[in-house]
Amino acid sequence: MGQQAVAADLAQAASVPQATSVTEEPSPWQIRLRGLGVITEDSGYVNAVSGSGLSYSDTVIPELDISYFFTDNIAAELILGTTYANIGGQATIGGLGNIGKVWLLPPTLTLQYHFTDFGPFKPYVGAGVNYTIFYNQDAGSADALRVKNTFGTALQVGFDYMVDQHWGVNFDVKKLFLKPDFDVTVNGAKLTGKAELDPWLIGAGVTYRF
């Protein structure tokens, strides 16, 4: 009887379907590669020159960001990219034309909240800080130009649409509040001012979750 009971137990166990494998938890690391439009606001001034104004060129650049998810909802994102801006005179200093050209490296760190109730559609909002480094600065109509490195703040909204566990597409909009001071020399006169770039960063690209 004991042997029959054991045999029955073995037969019953063999008839039970094997449990499906547990879905692997995603890595907390994620990267995105985007094409990014940098759209500046044409605002700023030269101190001591009444009615002066400034304008800046817009650009399209590649951009990489790296994210780390502390939880399913909370993540930190480091945004990396570099671009340039041609600085032009407006209003009472419009006759200066192209004052100069500077390159910008504005690494930006944001803290994000990701909404997880919409299936593969994963919207998020974020806010953070950036430190913008200005380099390769060349004077145009000015004798000399130096835009000073500065801190700024950032707001962000976007979404990922995940095609599978690892791959997705991304759309993202950021607003940087960026108002660096600068020194400029024109016709031997040394002047100061503020360049109020405050760019919009509008990007689209691909997402990969490790």
Side-chain angles (χ1 to χ4, degrees), residues 69-164:
F69 283 78
F70 301 101
T71 69
D72 288 342
N73 300 106
I74 305 298
E77 179 185 75
L78 178 64
I79 304 155
L80 302 171
T82 188
T83 187
Y84 67 88
N86 290 306
I87 303 174
Q90 291 195 125
T92 57
I93 60 171
L96 292 176
N98 182 30
I99 297 172
K101 177 180 178 179
V102 298
W103 282 83
L104 303 80
L105 178 64
T108 302
L109 182 65
T110 61
L111 185 66
Q112 302 171 331
Y113 185 86
H114 290 252
F115 299 89
T116 57
D117 300 328
F118 306 100
F121 178 68
K122 301 184 182 300
Y124 57 86
V125 294
V129 296
N130 75 80
Y131 183 72
T132 301
I133 301 166
F134 296 89
Y135 65 101
N136 285 358
Q137 304 192 45
D138 297 316
S141 59
D143 303 323
L145 174 67
R146 183 174 72 93
V147 183
K148 300 178 181 180
N149 300 343
T150 187
F151 283 98
T153 57
L155 296 176
Q156 179 182 34
V157 63
F159 68 85
D160 293 301
Y161 187 88
M162 301 305 295
V163 179
D164 58 29

Side-chain angles (χ1 to χ4, degrees), residues 12-26:
Q12 183 178 4
S15 65
V16 176
Q18 294 295 318
T20 57
S21 60
V22 177
T23 303
E24 181 183 355
E25 288 293 326

Side-chain angles (χ1 to χ4, degrees), residues 23-29 69 72 165-166 209-210:
T23 303
E24 181 183 355
E25 288 293 326
S27 164
W29 292 99
F69 283 78
D72 288 342
Q165 186 177 355
H166 297 289
R209 183 78 177 265
F210 290 93

